Amino acid sequence: MKKYEYTEKKDTRSGFGAGIAELGRSNPNVVALTADLAGSLKLDTFIKENPERFVQCGIAEANMIGVSAGLTIGGHIPFATTFANFATGRVYDQIRQSVAYSNKNVKICASHAGLTLGEDGATHQILEDLGMMKMLPNMTVINPCDYNQTKAATLAIADHVGPVYLRFGRPVIPVFTPADQKFEIGKAWTVNEGKDVSIFCTGHLVWEAIKAGEILAEEGIEADIINIHTIKPLDEEAILASVKKTGCAVSAEEHMINGGLGDSVAQVLARNYPAPLEYIGVHDTFGESATPDQLMQKYGLTADKIVEQVKKAIARK
């Protein structure tokens, strides 16, 4: 098992903040909008350096999406920012009609996604957003795994022409990917090569998959760990190549199992190469108020649970 070490922990939303600040200096077409959450979305540096390219929309998310769509007509690249629950569930109609349907170059950047929002509870813990957004034609969906990958993804989506949903989070997690990485939309990253099981992971669950891989290695099980940071377009080639090698798979995500990464992987396997697949994710339920660690434990989004599912998948080969 390849060894991954880290010297610090940072929140992925700060990776977004660093990325958009850099874009503010390098790309004069980038505009930042927010719905009363500039601080939470780490926009302070961008606003300080580019006050004329910042739009405070207030608590009016639907209007923010409409304004963003309009800005693209003039050649601007709007980054519309708010919490993931408000960025998708509250404004889905506006995204569908004004952004996806007309293929507008809007970047919807959503923080505080999933259970790790923590104490704010179920009303704010969106677990359906990846499924909602990947179903929209023209929409690219990205869920990076740490601070550095989130920053790299933020820079990459500015160069991508078309609607993008970029999902990131609130908790501090290990920074384990390279600071100088080049983010390639739609191209999975092989975290570790193995021959016994494929683990397809995304977002905060990538680090948990790495920890699971270390546990499995001690038991003589070699895991092929693949970071699927781009949910759509999905790297089907990487998925099939891995499962043809290992013969079984586990998906791991901080999202509802229905409609998430595991759902996409299952479709690829069903169409091309049927193989045992087990899931790590939330099972058809809302979240609740607790600390991020408590919630990850309760809902089974942990390394030890990944290990359990790996053994189930291998037993089904």
Side-chain angles (χ1 to χ4, degrees):
M1 174 71 191
K2 184 176 179 180
K3 188 68 175 177
Y4 284 88
E5 298 179 346
Y6 67 93
T7 58
E8 61 180 339
K9 292 183 177 183
K10 292 184 177 181
D11 48 344
T12 50
R13 60 176 172 157
S14 288
F16 167 74
I20 197 168
E22 188 169 319
L23 286 171
R25 301 175 194 119
S26 63
N27 191 330
N29 292 319
V30 168
V31 178
L33 303 89
T34 194
D36 202 39
L37 289 170
S40 295
L41 271 292
K42 304 299 182 179
L43 293 175
D44 293 345
T45 300
F46 181 93
I47 296 168
K48 181 179 179 181
E49 297 178 357
N50 311 279
E52 75 287 355
R53 286 192 279 142
F54 170 67
V55 182
Q56 173 58 267
C57 295
I59 306 175
E61 292 84 359
N63 184 51
M64 178 176 68
I65 296 299
V67 171
S68 298
L71 283 167
T72 66
I73 299 171
H76 297 294
I77 306 172
F79 281 63
T81 70
T82 185
F83 290 171
N85 188 36
F86 306 145
T88 57
R90 178 169 289 181
V91 296
Y92 197 67
D93 178 61
Q94 283 73 25
I95 293 171
R96 183 183 187 275
Q97 306 294 75
S98 298
V99 177
Y101 176 61
S102 53
N103 202 21
K104 292 291 192 296
N105 193 28
V106 175
K107 317 305 175 186
I108 301 165
C109 303
S111 182
H112 293 58
L115 289 173
T116 49
L117 173 57
E119 291 83 353
D120 286 0
T123 56
H124 287 51
Q125 292 162 348
I126 188 107
L127 296 165
E128 315 92 70
D129 55 321
L130 295 178
M132 293 169 65
M133 300 305 279
K134 79 178 186 182
M135 285 191 293
L136 290 172
N138 298 320
M139 185 67 69
T140 292
V141 180
I142 299 172
N143 185 37
C145 66
D146 74 349
Y147 173 97
N148 287 337
Q149 193 176 80
T150 306
K151 179 181 178 182
T154 303
L155 298 175
I157 66 174
D159 292 329
H160 172 82
V161 179
V164 175
Y165 178 65
L166 179 64
R167 183 197 214 231
F168 41 92
R170 177 187 189 181
V172 292
I173 59 171
V175 180
F176 57 94
T177 68
D180 60 351
Q181 66 188 278
K182 180 175 174 56
F183 187 92
E184 189 173 350
I185 295 173
K187 185 68 174 177
W189 168 45
T190 300
V191 180
N192 187 71
E193 294 189 13
K195 61 179 177 57
D196 298 317
V197 63
S198 303
I199 302 177
F200 300 112
C201 46
T202 189
H204 294 145
L205 268 291
V206 176
W207 183 250
E208 294 300 320
I210 290 171
K211 293 194 294 183
E214 293 173 347
I215 296 169
L216 291 165
E218 293 176 357
E219 300 180 21
I221 298 172
E222 297 179 17
D224 207 44
I225 303 174
I226 311 294
N227 170 212
I228 308 290
H229 51 65
T230 306
I231 307 299
K232 181 187 173 186
L234 190 66
D235 192 345
E236 297 189 8
E237 182 179 339
I239 291 169
L240 290 171
S242 179
V243 177
K244 286 178 180 179
K245 177 173 61 173
T246 66
C248 65
V250 172
S251 63
E253 60 193 307
E254 186 186 349
H255 186 272
M256 202 78 72
I257 285 175
N258 296 333
L261 170 62
D263 207 16
S264 294
V265 171
Q267 291 184 43
V268 172
L269 296 181
R271 290 195 307 268
N272 299 281
Y273 192 82
L277 172 65
E278 299 293 340
Y279 302 85
I280 290 290
V282 178
H283 292 259
D284 196 28
T285 184
F286 291 104
E288 60 189 285
S289 180
T291 68
D293 285 345
Q294 288 171 335
L295 292 165
M296 296 286 272
Q297 287 287 338
K298 176 171 181 176
Y299 290 87
L301 310 183
T302 58
D304 61 318
K305 292 299 181 182
I306 294 174
V307 170
E308 289 180 12
Q309 295 300 88
V310 162
K311 292 178 178 179
K312 286 176 62 177
I314 291 175
R316 293 173 55 202
K317 282 204 267 188

